[in-house]
Amino acid sequence: MGNDTLDTKLFRIDPTQNMARFYSMTIQPNLFGGLSLVRNWGRIGSAGQMRVDLFHDEKEARAARDLLLTTKMERGYARL
């Protein structure tokens, strides 16, 4: 896996709406020989929620991560 598999952390902060959210993603190897896309999201300062999606290969995992990254950035999330 290349360097672009490091954690991706996004934030959406808007004081006028009392909004302070985070969204993080990382691709990690799993015990089944594939890869996992681990996502964590919630309000800044909280533990948030977590979801793990399993993939057979790196190409599938990166495609899923890239799609989520694009979607989140369209919704106002940004890297800080």
Side-chain angles (χ1 to χ4, degrees), residues 34-55:
L35 295 169
S36 299
L37 175 61
V38 180
R39 299 187 274 163
N40 187 313
W41 69 92
R43 187 163 176 84
I44 295 174
S46 73
Q49 298 181 32
M50 180 185 290
R51 177 175 173 161
V52 178
D53 296 312
L54 304 176
F55 296 93

Side-chain angles (χ1 to χ4, degrees), residues 44-79:
I44 295 174
S46 73
Q49 298 181 32
M50 180 185 290
R51 177 175 173 161
V52 178
D53 296 312
L54 304 176
F55 296 93
H56 295 288
D57 61 32
E58 190 173 347
K59 184 178 177 182
E60 288 178 357
R62 285 186 182 187
R65 182 203 54 199
D66 293 346
L67 179 62
L68 285 165
L69 180 61
T70 300
T71 303
K72 290 299 176 184
M73 294 187 87
E74 287 173 354
R75 295 189 66 192
Y77 284 80
R79 292 180 172 146

Side-chain angles (χ1 to χ4, degrees), residues 4-5 58:
D4 64 341
T5 59
E58 190 173 347

